[in-house]
Amino acid sequence: MSSSKSTAEARRSRSATWQEQLVPTVHQVRRAIESDNRSEALEWIDFIDWEWAGSNYGFYTKWHEEGEAFLLARGILEDDLAGIRDDLQLLVNTGWNDGTPYDRVAELARYKMYKARLLRHLNAPAEVALATFMEWKELWRSIHDRDVDYASGIMNIALIRFGEDRLEDLLRMSITPRFDARYGRYDISKVEWADAFNDLVHTSIETQRGHLVGPER
């Protein structure tokens, strides 16, 4: 694993080897735990934490905030937005704790607690650490998926209230600054495609791992 800094942001990178990229980071953590390689397990756990929450939690925080700001800017009142927020917090939690509002901040705290527990369990039998690791992974999935559902809910409200033509405005407002910061370095009007290709593909693969994309999804 290595660290690299792009023109826009610091971005960690696993490897420049295509073959290594075929191995999910989840499997790397499992292998390190199963082989009782504590130092390697610590390194992979730290990396996968960055791949999950480190890369995505703040992204969705901003997406939610900017989506709500979009609604307010187009005339939705604060009280109306509070009702929308309450509805969405119930809806996105249906599959996990039906009837209870989703507390995103509390779930992030629980996520961090599970990581601390996993680090302690590296001193326990491998099956104990592996079970904790899989619980931690599923906790991240639940946070990620509810974040996606909340963002989708904001887009649905924009569609219902303002029409489909306004969705482009919402997406441009919410995504363009981060898209330009993260992917602007691949703009072929500024860089040679041959120079950008490998980095672009690696970034795409790493991003998908953060979203837990794959056959075990």
Side-chain angles (χ1 to χ4, degrees):
M1 290 179 284
S2 63
S3 295
S4 61
K5 187 174 181 62
S6 74
T7 57
E9 62 182 357
R11 182 175 65 81
R12 300 175 67 176
S13 179
R14 255 180 44 174
S15 171
T17 305
W18 290 113
Q19 189 64 33
E20 195 274 342
Q21 291 284 358
L22 297 177
V23 182
T25 311
V26 169
H27 292 184
Q28 299 286 22
V29 176
R30 286 175 181 162
R31 289 176 182 178
I33 292 173
E34 289 168 349
S35 63
D36 197 27
N37 190 331
R38 194 173 191 281
S39 61
E40 187 174 313
L42 287 169
E43 187 176 4
W44 281 118
I45 288 167
D46 182 61
F47 187 83
I48 207 168
D49 183 24
W50 174 82
E51 235 177 22
W52 293 344
S55 293
N56 290 287
Y57 189 86
F59 172 84
Y60 286 112
T61 300
K62 292 295 292 181
W63 197 349
H64 298 167
E65 291 173 350
E66 290 164 0
E68 292 179 0
F70 177 89
L71 298 181
L72 289 172
R74 275 146 187 82
I76 287 182
L77 301 178
E78 287 281 1
D79 288 347
D80 193 5
L81 178 60
I84 291 168
R85 191 182 291 119
D86 289 345
D87 287 346
L88 289 178
Q89 287 170 343
L90 280 171
L91 286 169
V92 302
N93 216 22
T94 300
W96 284 270
N97 193 5
D98 195 12
T100 301
Y102 176 44
D103 188 335
R104 187 171 183 260
V105 173
E107 285 299 284
L108 180 64
R110 198 158 73 93
Y111 170 88
K112 292 178 178 178
M113 179 272 290
Y114 259 87
K115 180 183 179 182
R117 180 183 296 174
L118 174 59
L119 297 181
R120 295 196 304 273
H121 284 177
L122 292 179
N123 297 314
E127 59 269 21
V128 174
L130 287 170
T132 302
F133 172 60
M134 296 309 293
E135 290 170 0
W136 185 44
K137 176 181 76 72
E138 285 305 298
L139 180 53
W140 166 246
R141 183 177 70 83
S142 75
I143 293 171
H144 172 278
D145 289 2
R146 282 177 283 189
D147 275 353
V148 173
D149 286 347
Y150 192 94
S152 299
I154 292 293
M155 288 190 286
N156 186 56
I157 293 297
L159 170 67
I160 292 169
R161 299 289 183 93
F162 309 117
E164 190 165 351
D165 290 346
R166 298 282 70 79
L167 286 181
E168 180 178 347
D169 297 337
L170 170 56
L171 289 171
R172 287 187 180 277
M173 176 181 172
S174 300
I175 295 176
T176 297
R178 286 188 299 283
F179 189 92
D180 288 346
R182 186 169 176 83
Y183 299 106
R185 63 184 181 274
Y186 310 125
D187 185 344
I188 59 174
S189 69
K190 301 174 183 177
V191 297
E192 291 294 328
W193 175 242
D195 296 332
F197 177 79
N198 280 0
D199 191 27
L200 174 59
V201 175
H202 277 280
T203 299
S204 300
I205 293 171
E206 290 163 1
T207 298
Q208 297 311 303
R209 285 200 295 261
H211 296 299
L212 296 177
V213 172
E216 295 180 4
R217 180 68 161 112

